[in-house]
Amino acid sequence: MGLLDFLFGRNTQQSDLKTNTKSDDDRVKEQNAQKSDNTIEPFVFKSNCHQRYENGLPKMGLQECFRTVCVEKNIDGCKGYKLEPGIGYIVKVFNDDLGKPNMSDKPMKVVRKTENSVELRGFPIEAVSPFGWQEVDYSVYGFIVYYEHGKVSKCVLHMYDRNTFIEYRYVDKTPLMTANINSSISECEQFAQQAQNAANIGNTSRAHQYGMKVYDSIIREPIQLRKVSDIQSVALALGKLMEGDYFSDNDSIKKAVGLSYYFLSKAIAGGNDNPYLYAYRFSVTWEYNKVFYHLFAHSENKQLINSLYNPIEQSMLMAYDHHLQGMQMADMLVEPRIANLDPALGNIFNEIYTRYSSTPSEQIIKLGKEYHAQIFEYLDKKIKALDFDF
């Protein structure tokens, strides 16, 4: 295992699909050998909505219905499986609307643990079937638990063989505060501070809702940006907002991406060392790379027309993609705590870094900062002119 694998927790124990059967003794030995010191505290999470994703895209819209998601210790094995007591955990999803399980119980083991998440993964095991005991490879199932200040904020069930996952969330529906119009603090800052307060107590839903109010406030009254002083709170609120899929039209996506990136970069340039600033900036450049292709082009007084048959444009897109990768690698190299906050970003970094492993880190950081500066300077001019047509 290399240094990067050690730092960013790459899982090198991938299970191969087995077609042969094993004796019970062999299976027990294998399961015992795979025991990990990593643990997860059993919990019950009440979800009131969930979103399904296929190939990275949301499908069927947000489903507002009740599910009970829980992780239990394996104390007595698991019904329907040949599983020794004490091996791993049992992941369950219960359909509260129908009063029955939403899926069969899944035995899993902890494969990675960071300060804000725990990842579990299924493994090869024998399961009962109409034809007797059959070996199935449950490594195609994964389950990631995300925490905010020690509280479960959401759970994500992955079906890797189908490139599909389901996010189980909880949306707080209690009324939000209104802004104090007599305050010396701008409206968007007031909402941003409420977003931070919510995030600090683990209420991700409320943090997202206040983040949306920050965005709506800026769009409705852009002139207030000229007196914003709490840059970090606005940056973190918008960065947190961009974790979700709250925008569907291209115009809103471009504005939200531009504003969140601008404030995150401004907070970082101001000397703030909060690792979430870097994590959110890394994430927004990764999730919304097509927006950044256009930002790069506009910063160079060029236009992209998204033509598959234009060799000049394809060359531009390739160049901008390299620029983005440089920005992402630079952020991770400067602030490696990103990988502990979001292990998925650590994995992305590993994949990118292998392509440039012969390039000195100092050179990557230098170029990455130059590309960040190019985008920031373009956005800075636009935002100071209160022009959000990015």
Side-chain angles (χ1 to χ4, degrees), residues 14 23 66 79 90 116 140 212 218 237 290:
Q14 298 293 327
S23 69
F66 294 96
K79 185 178 180 181
I90 312 299
N116 289 318
V140 296
M212 181 60 77
I218 291 172
K290 292 180 181 179

CSV table of all heavy atoms in Angstrom, one decimal, residues 14 23 66 79 90 116 140 212 218 237 290:
chain,number,residue,atom,x,y,z
A,14,GLN,N,-10.7,-5.8,-2.4
A,14,GLN,CA,-11.9,-6.0,-3.2
A,14,GLN,C,-12.1,-7.5,-3.4
A,14,GLN,O,-11.2,-8.2,-3.6
A,14,GLN,CB,-11.7,-5.4,-4.6
A,14,GLN,CG,-11.6,-3.9,-4.6
A,14,GLN,CD,-12.8,-3.2,-4.1
A,14,GLN,OE1,-13.9,-3.6,-4.4
A,14,GLN,NE2,-12.7,-2.1,-3.4
A,23,SER,N,-16.3,-25.2,2.3
A,23,SER,CA,-16.8,-25.9,3.5
A,23,SER,C,-17.2,-24.8,4.6
A,23,SER,O,-16.7,-23.7,4.5
A,23,SER,CB,-15.8,-26.8,4.0
A,23,SER,OG,-14.7,-26.1,4.6
A,66,PHE,N,-41.8,7.7,4.6
A,66,PHE,CA,-41.1,7.3,5.8
A,66,PHE,C,-40.3,6.0,5.7
A,66,PHE,O,-40.9,5.0,5.3
A,66,PHE,CB,-42.0,7.3,7.0
A,66,PHE,CG,-42.6,8.6,7.4
A,66,PHE,CD1,-43.8,9.0,6.9
A,66,PHE,CD2,-41.8,9.5,8.1
A,66,PHE,CE1,-44.3,10.3,7.2
A,66,PHE,CE2,-42.4,10.8,8.4
A,66,PHE,CZ,-43.6,11.2,7.9
A,79,LYS,N,-30.8,-14.3,10.0
A,79,LYS,CA,-31.7,-15.2,9.5
A,79,LYS,C,-31.6,-15.3,8.0
A,79,LYS,O,-31.6,-14.2,7.3
A,79,LYS,CB,-33.1,-14.9,9.9
A,79,LYS,CG,-34.2,-16.0,9.4
A,79,LYS,CD,-35.6,-15.6,9.9
A,79,LYS,CE,-36.6,-16.6,9.5
A,79,LYS,NZ,-37.9,-16.3,9.9
A,90,ILE,N,-25.6,-5.9,10.7
A,90,ILE,CA,-26.7,-6.1,9.9
A,90,ILE,C,-27.3,-4.8,9.5
A,90,ILE,O,-27.7,-4.0,10.4
A,90,ILE,CB,-27.8,-7.0,10.6
A,90,ILE,CG1,-27.1,-8.2,11.3
A,90,ILE,CG2,-28.9,-7.4,9.6
A,90,ILE,CD1,-26.4,-9.1,10.3
A,116,ASN,N,-16.1,11.8,9.9
A,116,ASN,CA,-17.5,12.2,9.6
A,116,ASN,C,-18.3,11.1,8.8
A,116,ASN,O,-19.4,11.4,8.4
A,116,ASN,CB,-17.5,13.5,8.8
A,116,ASN,CG,-17.1,14.7,9.6
A,116,ASN,OD1,-17.5,14.8,10.8
A,116,ASN,ND2,-16.3,15.6,9.1
A,140,VAL,N,-21.4,-6.2,-3.8
A,140,VAL,CA,-22.0,-5.3,-4.7
A,140,VAL,C,-22.8,-4.3,-4.0
A,140,VAL,O,-23.3,-3.3,-4.5
A,140,VAL,CB,-22.8,-6.0,-5.8
A,140,VAL,CG1,-22.0,-6.8,-6.7
A,140,VAL,CG2,-24.0,-6.8,-5.2
A,212,MET,N,-30.3,27.7,1.1
A,212,MET,CA,-31.2,28.1,0.0
A,212,MET,C,-31.7,29.5,0.2
A,212,MET,O,-31.8,30.3,-0.8
A,212,MET,CB,-32.3,27.1,-0.2
A,212,MET,CG,-33.3,27.5,-1.3
A,212,MET,SD,-32.4,27.5,-2.9
A,212,MET,CE,-32.3,25.7,-3.2
A,218,ILE,N,-29.5,36.5,-2.1
A,218,ILE,CA,-28.5,37.2,-2.9
A,218,ILE,C,-29.1,37.5,-4.3
A,218,ILE,O,-28.9,38.6,-4.9
A,218,ILE,CB,-27.2,36.3,-3.0
A,218,ILE,CG1,-26.5,36.2,-1.7
A,218,ILE,CG2,-26.3,36.8,-4.1
A,218,ILE,CD1,-25.4,35.2,-1.7
A,237,ALA,N,-22.3,28.2,4.0
A,237,ALA,CA,-23.7,28.0,3.8
A,237,ALA,C,-23.9,27.6,2.3
A,237,ALA,O,-24.7,26.6,2.0
A,237,ALA,CB,-24.5,29.2,4.1
A,290,LYS,N,-18.9,20.8,-16.0
A,290,LYS,CA,-19.3,21.4,-17.3
A,290,LYS,C,-19.5,22.9,-17.1
A,290,LYS,O,-19.2,23.7,-18.0
A,290,LYS,CB,-20.6,20.8,-17.8
A,290,LYS,CG,-20.3,19.3,-18.2
A,290,LYS,CD,-21.6,18.7,-18.7
A,290,LYS,CE,-21.4,17.3,-19.1
A,290,LYS,NZ,-22.6,16.6,-19.6
